[in-house]
Amino acid sequence: MSRLNNRHIILAISGGIAAYKSAELVRLLIKSGAQVQVVMTSGAIEFITPLTLQALSGNPVHQHLLNPQAEAGMGHIQLARWADLLLIAPASANVMARLAQGQANDLLTTLCLATDAPVLLAPAMNQAMWQDQATQDNLQTLQARGLQIHGPAEGEQACGDIGAGRMLEPNELLAAVKAQFSQGLLDGKTVVITAGPTREAIDPVRYISNHSSGKMGYALAQAARDQGATVILISGPTQLAQPEDVTFVAVESAQDMLEASLKTGSSADYFIATAAVADYRPTIASEQKLKKQNADHGLTLELTQNPDILTTMSNQHPHVIHVGFAAETQDLILHAQDKLKRKGVHMIIANDVSNTDIGFNSDNNQVSLITSGGVEDLPLLSKHQLARQLIAAITRIPH
Ligand SMILES: Cc1cc2nc3c(=O)[nH]c(=O)nc-3n(C[C@H](O)[C@H](O)[C@H](O)COP(=O)(O)O)c2cc1C
């Protein structure tokens, strides 16, 4: 679940060229799970049509304060109470001036007075307008009242000037909105997760693999992202959609996965190995498709052991917190405790794959957490619920 899931965001658009970027911002907010109501000033509708924003937000656009029909629907006080956050983007010089004076002469300014929600402003204007003492005074007044100002950025402007006044990009504003709701357990941390099976080539059309679906690793990637982490998901081939807002690295073989993992070692804070990595690969992957032999001839494949990704990572990057999974069919805890020591890792998450209700391909899982401090059994949970609990448990590992 995204941090913005079901959050109520009012996006208020005022009259500036940057209003065209607000359409993309609505799209990003909706994609992140937020509910969005758009408010436009009479200036804003000269720059972008309400129809575009209505289509993107899925809600009628609010334009008027003194409109009996609108008041019969979601009136200005209801709208002010509905909001978890009010973002004014772009915020024109005119809106800043009106807010600084405490005016309530249109829907946007009235909402700002009426809401208890945090108000964020993304100013956008010509650099001279921004530098003007009146705007700077208004800025100070608004900041002193607790309104949050994001931007403006410097650069080339629509009018040809160069300087401060560009509205922040939609993805930067999305991050600013998300940050309002984040007190993530993993804020500022980088979490690297391996997931899915690997494929070890026999020849150009055949491979050795396993039944791993990747579901647990993908669920962990989403849970870590929702706790504010920067997530790198290194995945073998799966049928799953790539999680949003996660850096996705697609790999095939165990050796590819090891190389991709080692590259992240210097930036990672946590390395979580959920992938079902093939222990062996064919010693020689034939360059040509192997032909079928006579019926009385079998085929013998020589296999070579693959490098152990988790052990290699924990040896080469000891500053990282390493977490492994142990899928066992017998003596679960014993094998997991052995793995904890042998691989030099901080936690082993052990699950019994002989039970078909849990583990590979299932949507549920039941695991035990093994650390040097002991064993903790978790109840049967959906992989998404479990992922949230595991991420919380991982953050409790002493660093
Ligand atoms: C083509 C054009 C572009 C404009 N761009 C901006 C701008 O980027 N920022 C700004 O503060 N005002 C800009 N203005 C001026 C505002 O549109 C004007 O101050 C308007 O009254 C703002 O109304 P509002 O703040 O209620 O939306 C622009 C005006 C025109 C004609």
Side-chain angles (χ1 to χ4, degrees):
M1 210 194 319
S2 155
R3 217 178 304 165
L4 288 189
N5 215 38
N6 284 326
R7 299 290 189 179
H8 292 178
I9 312 290
I10 295 181
L11 176 63
I13 306 175
S14 61
I17 292 282
Y20 77 93
K21 292 187 187 174
S22 305
E24 173 66 359
L25 182 54
V26 173
R27 201 184 66 78
L28 293 178
L29 288 166
I30 295 278
K31 213 170 128 194
S32 299
Q35 293 187 38
V36 180
Q37 301 278 352
V38 176
V39 169
M40 296 177 81
T41 64
S42 52
I45 60 174
E46 301 296 330
F47 291 87
I48 182 168
T49 69
L51 192 60
T52 302
L53 296 152
Q54 174 174 317
L56 288 168
S57 68
N59 287 312
V61 169
H62 307 269
Q63 298 174 51
H64 307 289
L65 177 61
L66 306 173
N67 177 343
Q69 264 178 349
E71 286 292 307
M74 200 188 284
H76 68 284
I77 298 297
Q78 260 174 306
L79 199 53
R81 288 186 186 140
W82 175 89
D84 293 322
L85 179 144
L86 198 159
L87 168 63
I88 310 175
S92 66
N94 182 45
V95 153
M96 289 179 66
R98 290 192 287 131
L99 290 178
Q101 288 181 2
Q103 290 193 14
N105 55 358
D106 68 357
L107 182 56
L108 186 157
T109 47
T110 308
L111 280 174
C112 286
L113 294 182
T115 192
D116 287 333
V119 178
L120 276 57
L121 268 76
M125 63 198 72
N126 165 272
Q127 54 82 25
M129 290 171 74
W130 176 250
Q131 295 301 340
D132 191 275
Q133 197 54 52
T135 305
Q136 291 300 310
D137 288 349
N138 292 333
L139 172 68
Q140 288 205 346
T141 305
L142 296 175
Q143 275 176 323
R145 282 192 205 137
L147 279 71
Q148 295 183 38
I149 313 293
H150 292 270
E154 299 216 4
E156 198 175 331
Q157 301 203 289
C159 54
D161 281 7
I162 295 175
R166 287 166 59 101
M167 188 170 89
L168 293 186
E169 293 305 320
N171 60 351
E172 294 172 300
L173 291 174
L174 177 71
V177 170
K178 281 186 173 170
Q180 296 299 309
F181 298 105
S182 88
Q183 283 182 327
L185 294 168
L186 289 169
D187 282 345
K189 302 287 184 195
T190 297
V191 177
V192 180
I193 299 170
T194 66
T198 62
R199 285 181 181 171
E200 311 300 325
I202 297 171
D203 68 16
V205 296
R206 303 183 182 92
Y207 53 80
I208 300 172
S209 191
N210 58 61
H211 292 297
S212 168
S213 64
K215 283 177 187 165
M216 192 67 241
Y218 282 50
L220 278 167
Q222 289 165 339
R225 173 204 63 197
D226 292 346
Q227 288 299 338
T230 299
V231 178
I232 303 171
L233 177 60
I234 302 172
S235 175
T238 73
Q239 301 296 317
L240 305 174
Q242 291 181 19
E244 285 172 14
D245 298 331
V246 158
T247 302
F248 189 83
V249 184
V251 295
E252 289 259 334
S253 68
Q255 288 199 299
D256 295 343
M257 193 172 269
L258 175 65
E259 277 166 34
S261 301
L262 286 173
K263 273 189 203 157
T264 66
S266 49
S267 56
D269 296 292
Y270 294 89
F271 181 76
I272 309 177
T274 75
V277 182
D279 289 333
Y280 294 92
R281 66 177 182 278
T283 306
I284 297 167
S286 171
E287 282 184 19
Q288 304 300 329
K289 185 183 167 204
L290 295 175
K291 290 286 176 211
K292 201 170 172 180
Q293 306 291 312
N294 292 336
D296 51 348
H297 277 81
L299 174 69
T300 304
L301 280 178
E302 190 188 300
L303 301 178
T304 298
Q305 206 170 96
N306 272 326
D308 187 298
I309 296 178
L310 194 52
T311 308
T312 314
M313 279 295 286
S314 82
N315 286 339
Q316 295 201 16
H317 297 286
H319 68 282
V320 176
I321 290 193
H322 291 93
V323 177
F325 273 68
E328 302 289 349
T329 53
Q330 56 183 356
D331 297 331
L332 183 67
I333 303 297
L334 228 55
H335 281 126
Q337 282 170 329
D338 172 57
K339 208 167 177 178
L340 184 78
K341 285 195 201 117
R342 207 165 18 89
K343 300 198 176 207
V345 301
H346 299 80
M347 180 186 279
I348 290 287
I349 299 162
N351 67 329
D352 180 353
V353 284
S354 66
N355 180 348
T356 51
D357 292 341
I358 59 174
F360 277 173
N361 249 321
S362 157
D363 287 328
N364 299 319
N365 208 348
Q366 184 167 20
V367 302
S368 302
L369 310 184
I370 322 285
T371 59
S372 55
V375 178
E376 182 186 349
D377 294 322
L378 295 186
L380 179 65
L381 295 165
S382 79
K383 283 188 176 169
H384 283 283
Q385 289 170 323
L386 180 60
R388 288 197 283 279
Q389 294 215 10
L390 290 180
I391 289 299
I394 286 163
T395 62
R396 291 194 293 269
I397 298 173
H399 207 172

